[in-house]
Amino acid sequence: AAGGAAAGHLAARDASFTALWEQGRFCDVTIQVDSGERFEAHRLVLAAGSDYFKALFSSAMRESAEDVVTISEIAADDMRAVLRFLYTLRLEAKPETLAGVMMAASRLEVPSLLALGAESLASTLTLESCIASWAVAVSIGRPELDAVRAACEKMAEHLFKTLSQQPDFHRLSLDMLKTLLSSDALMAGEDVVFEALDGWLSKCSPPLAAAQKLELFSPVPYPLLEPTFL
């Protein structure tokens, strides 16, 4: 009973913090993003949920005492989503905006939001979202997204032919493509691999050097290709 009462008290306290934030009451810091949009917040809540803000407010740097903290390279909608998570522990992001929110969570060092975002990406993974989700996991490069990266790689290995026909196939990075080609689990014929590489190269920008192209095509088992295909 005591545990239930304590949990209820914590929930009520968190709800009070959220209400105060939504009303703009007792906020003691303003977060400003590149667009100029500003967000009022409480230092205590930010420091409790974000290692970035905890370090900032604990340091002896001049910025730690300023009323306005400027955060660059984070969009206003992404910052809003991160702040709402810090107050409510709920992730409010659509599939098409989740990548930006997770990049912001990585920048602001909010591991709990990264873990929740990774769970959402993994549970909703489709062939259409595979490349984008994989790119997010690789770009952020944090352990919270290892499961997402592994799930994307597995899907790409098993459905390589269909994946190579997706409009965003060329968005695979060179390293991601090499990872696929070097996998023993890759399920695709030699001709499929060759045509996929040819299509990827046709949209590669900037173009690869000749030596890089040769390296990319080197895993193709040419003796197994049909003469008519060649």
Side-chain angles (χ1 to χ4, degrees), residues 13-183:
R13 185 196 62 184
D14 292 344
S16 297
F17 267 121
T18 303
L20 290 174
W21 173 60
E22 291 175 337
Q23 296 165 10
R25 299 182 62 191
F26 306 118
C27 295
D28 54 2
V29 67
T30 300
I31 307 299
Q32 179 173 299
V33 295
D34 290 336
S35 66
E37 191 165 348
R38 293 186 170 196
F39 303 91
E40 303 296 321
H42 302 89
R43 291 173 183 264
L44 180 63
V45 174
L46 299 185
S50 162
D51 292 339
Y52 174 89
F53 284 118
K54 181 179 181 181
L56 176 66
F57 297 146
S58 301
S59 72
M61 295 169 54
R62 176 175 56 85
E63 291 84 354
S64 65
E66 291 186 347
D67 294 332
V68 179
V69 176
T70 300
I71 304 294
S72 60
E73 300 178 1
I74 293 181
D77 287 344
D78 297 334
M79 178 59 75
R80 185 179 294 105
V82 171
L83 289 175
R84 181 155 294 280
F85 175 82
L86 291 176
Y87 278 91
T88 68
L89 296 181
R90 293 197 302 270
L91 173 58
E92 298 182 3
K94 299 177 181 178
E96 59 269 23
T97 63
L98 185 55
V101 174
M102 293 185 68
M103 295 294 285
S106 176
R107 169 80 190 283
L108 298 175
E109 299 181 53
V110 187
S112 53
L113 177 51
L114 279 174
L116 187 59
E119 182 181 327
S120 178
L121 279 179
S123 64
T124 59
L125 187 63
T126 64
L127 193 64
E128 291 73 21
S129 65
C130 180
I131 294 175
S133 298
W134 191 2
V136 169
V138 170
S139 177
I140 293 177
R142 290 178 58 118
E144 292 90 347
L145 281 90
D146 285 350
V148 174
R149 178 184 51 75
C152 291
E153 288 182 11
K154 184 176 181 179
M155 177 175 286
E157 290 165 353
H158 287 205
L159 301 172
F160 182 82
K161 181 177 181 179
T162 310
L163 186 73
S164 68
Q165 297 168 350
Q166 293 295 310
D168 62 344
F169 181 73
H170 67 284
R171 297 189 183 279
L172 280 174
S173 70
L174 182 59
D175 287 340
M176 291 161 69
L177 197 55
K178 286 181 177 179
T179 296
L180 278 178
L181 296 178
S182 63
S183 173

